[in-house]
Amino acid sequence: MTRFQKLELSPAYDSHVHLRDGTMMETVIPTIRQGGVDTVYVMPNLVPPITTVAAAVAYRERLQALAPDVKFLMTLYLDKSITPATIAEAARAGIAGVKVYPAGVTTNSEAGVLDYQSYYPVFEAMQEHDLVLNLHGEVPSTSAHDVGTAADGDVVTVLNAEPKFLPTLRKLHADFPRLRIVLEHCTTKEALDAVRACGPTVAGGITAHHLFIDISDVCGDAFNFCKPVAKTPVDRVALLKAIVDESGKFFFGTDSAPHPIEAKKGGKKPAAGCFTQGWATQLVVDAVEEGIANGWLPEDISVETLDEFLSGRGRRFYKLPPASQNGRKIVLDRKGEKIPEALRSKDGSIEVVPFRRGEETYSLTWKS
Ligand code: DOR
Ligand code: ZN
């Protein structure tokens, strides 16, 4: 029994996507609308990272040329070259925000941030120009070289890297109360509580994949491995409940992160990232169905609530017009469609394995 056999929703706003460049970008772009999404917030962790306004604008043009019917919001990658003057220029160019990657915590984060204080003039300028600060909320893991010097309570692994980051979130919010901050891809109950305890300028992003898995599912399946890693079953249920949270502070951001199959299982350490773009909306509705079936979510969860999570709250936080303005809708219907085992580039050179490959999901069509 499914709660929603067929449903009509507003196009989704995906507030956290990795679209890459070149052949991978060309392969992934068509999957944005396939996943019921018309507006995306694009991560800047290319190689090299997008650290200048000119690079962000050029990247936006490359994306827009491939998908004229998708709205692309752009971000800069925070590094030492970014100054308050860069922020003023970014605001003039319509760049929406700046992403913080703590150094060394995930894919292409080598150039990331180690010391937040040194960026205070930049955060001040962002607050003035109303740009959004996007936080990858993890601290780096303790290395074996530090064992013996770090007190036990200070030891950081992928399992507590997010809770250990939360004092930084609180401090940034206290020091810049008007700065809009998103704690991206929340994975713990502690993170949700920290976001709830902050003022209205702080929100939390929730992915589709973290609604389905916990740490046990990550061990043994490289295609479930992403950063931050999925945590405990208690955390997973807390994330599902955040969809219906009355604070209205949590919204959708897939963190869809495509990698070529070789990078995920080539014998080396697998690259972090789950690819969910093509089934973004469908996966959320699937997860909600599972949540209802297991008694974690209320039976009477409404289509309006789903719409708020997938589209309304995120658009409001980012000061975007409501989806209703263009009148388009997406229709999800359960017809036995399955998520494919792989997505291939046109020339066959790249193969990407989707999250929940082989599982049944909704079929999605656009209604204008
Ligand atoms: O799993 C992840 N993959 N987390 C990130 O923060 C980055 C992303 C990527 O770019 O592959
Ligand atoms: Zn990401």
Side-chain angles (χ1 to χ4, degrees), residues 345-366:
S345 60
K346 274 203 186 115
D347 65 2
S349 65
I350 295 182
E351 191 178 326
V352 181
V353 176
F355 179 71
R356 276 176 76 79
R357 61 197 184 280
E359 297 290 334
E360 198 182 309
T361 191
Y362 278 88
S363 299
L364 187 147
T365 48
W366 283 78

Side-chain angles (χ1 to χ4, degrees), residues 75-86:
T75 46
L76 294 176
Y77 183 117
L78 188 62
D79 81 349
K80 285 192 203 71
S81 69
I82 293 186
T83 65
T86 320

Side-chain angles (χ1 to χ4, degrees), residues 14 16 18 184-187 205-215 217-218 222-231 236 239-240 252-258 264 272-277 279-280 283-284 287 290 309 354-356:
D14 187 345
H16 186 136
H18 296 269
E184 302 291 331
H185 40 54
C186 298
T187 58
I206 310 265
T207 73
H209 52 280
H210 290 122
L211 301 175
F212 282 101
I213 56 174
D214 61 50
I215 187 67
D217 303 300
V218 180
F223 300 105
N224 287 343
F225 173 57
C226 65
K227 288 301 297 293
V229 296
K231 305 297 189 310
R236 179 190 162 202
L239 294 174
L240 274 164
F252 189 39
T254 55
D255 194 15
S256 172
K264 292 294 279 179
C274 297
F275 177 60
T276 50
Q277 200 71 66
W279 301 271
L283 284 167
V284 170
E290 208 177 302
F309 174 71
F355 179 71
R356 276 176 76 79

Side-chain angles (χ1 to χ4, degrees), residues 128-202:
E128 281 327 299
H129 290 281
D130 204 18
L131 263 67
V132 174
L133 179 65
N134 306 97
L135 298 176
H136 182 115
E138 291 190 290
V139 296
S141 291
T142 309
S143 118
H145 300 291
D146 299 328
V147 172
T149 54
D152 279 357
D154 291 339
V155 171
V156 181
T157 71
V158 291
L159 293 176
N160 64 356
E162 186 177 81
K164 293 267 188 196
F165 178 84
L166 298 174
T168 305
L169 169 71
R170 290 189 196 101
K171 173 134 178 62
L172 288 171
H173 177 51
D175 293 344
F176 300 97
R178 288 182 292 116
L179 178 61
R180 282 179 291 150
I181 301 178
V182 183
L183 185 65
E184 302 291 331
H185 40 54
C186 298
T187 58
T188 54
K189 188 171 174 306
E190 284 113 303
L192 301 176
D193 288 341
V195 169
R196 283 188 193 102
C198 292
T201 49
V202 176

Side-chain angles (χ1 to χ4, degrees), residues 7-90:
L7 72 166
E8 197 173 293
L9 293 166
S10 304
Y13 168 44
D14 187 345
S15 68
H16 186 136
V17 301
H18 296 269
L19 300 173
R20 316 302 190 203
D21 215 337
T23 307
M24 183 64 98
M25 168 178 72
E26 287 163 18
T27 308
V28 170
I29 284 279
T31 69
I32 298 172
R33 283 181 57 99
Q34 186 192 316
V37 172
D38 73 350
T39 305
V40 288
Y41 189 76
V42 185
M43 290 298 123
N45 64 334
L46 302 186
V47 185
I50 302 282
T51 57
T52 65
V53 173
V57 169
Y59 186 29
R60 181 168 59 197
E61 281 166 11
R62 291 199 293 286
L63 294 164
Q64 200 70 74
L66 291 168
D69 50 3
V70 173
K71 184 169 173 61
F72 296 94
L73 299 178
M74 308 308 289
T75 46
L76 294 176
Y77 183 117
L78 188 62
D79 81 349
K80 285 192 203 71
S81 69
I82 293 186
T83 65
T86 320
I87 299 302
E89 188 194 350

